[in-house]
Amino acid sequence: FSDPFLNRRRANDFIQADTRLGAISQERIRERNKSPQERQKEICEDYYPCDLYAFRHGYGAAYRHYFGRRRNK
């Protein structure tokens, strides 16, 4: 019969170190490559009138309202 509880010092022994490092590096890659929607949201958050408009209508509509017309010129 073995003890069902793990020793505190050995609790993470079943996780391999290289797997954790690989997961951390993948997360860093995902942070560098942002989706267009996330970039648009950040741009809108930096511009106060756009942020207020987004509170009522959503970030997609706010970005199109304040920044969408600039692309068509």
Side-chain angles (χ1 to χ4, degrees):
F1 176 72
S2 65
D3 188 15
F5 299 102
L6 294 173
N7 183 345
R8 255 188 228 180
R9 293 182 187 148
R10 301 197 48 153
N12 290 326
D13 282 356
F14 60 93
I15 299 174
Q16 295 177 356
D18 58 339
T19 306
R20 286 183 296 193
L21 292 176
I24 291 170
S25 66
Q26 286 294 329
E27 181 65 26
R28 297 293 172 256
I29 290 169
R30 271 188 241 106
E31 287 176 358
R32 277 187 286 174
N33 301 329
K34 294 182 180 178
S35 68
Q37 292 84 5
E38 193 173 357
R39 280 194 205 101
Q40 290 175 0
K41 182 179 179 194
E42 288 178 355
I43 290 168
C44 192
E45 285 175 339
D46 291 339
Y47 185 55
Y48 186 69
C50 184
D51 199 27
L52 286 178
Y53 191 90
F55 184 69
R56 183 168 282 226
H57 302 284
Y59 281 102
Y63 183 85
R64 284 190 302 275
H65 180 77
Y66 284 99
F67 302 106
R69 287 175 274 177
R70 292 183 182 179
R71 289 185 171 186
N72 296 334
K73 290 182 180 179

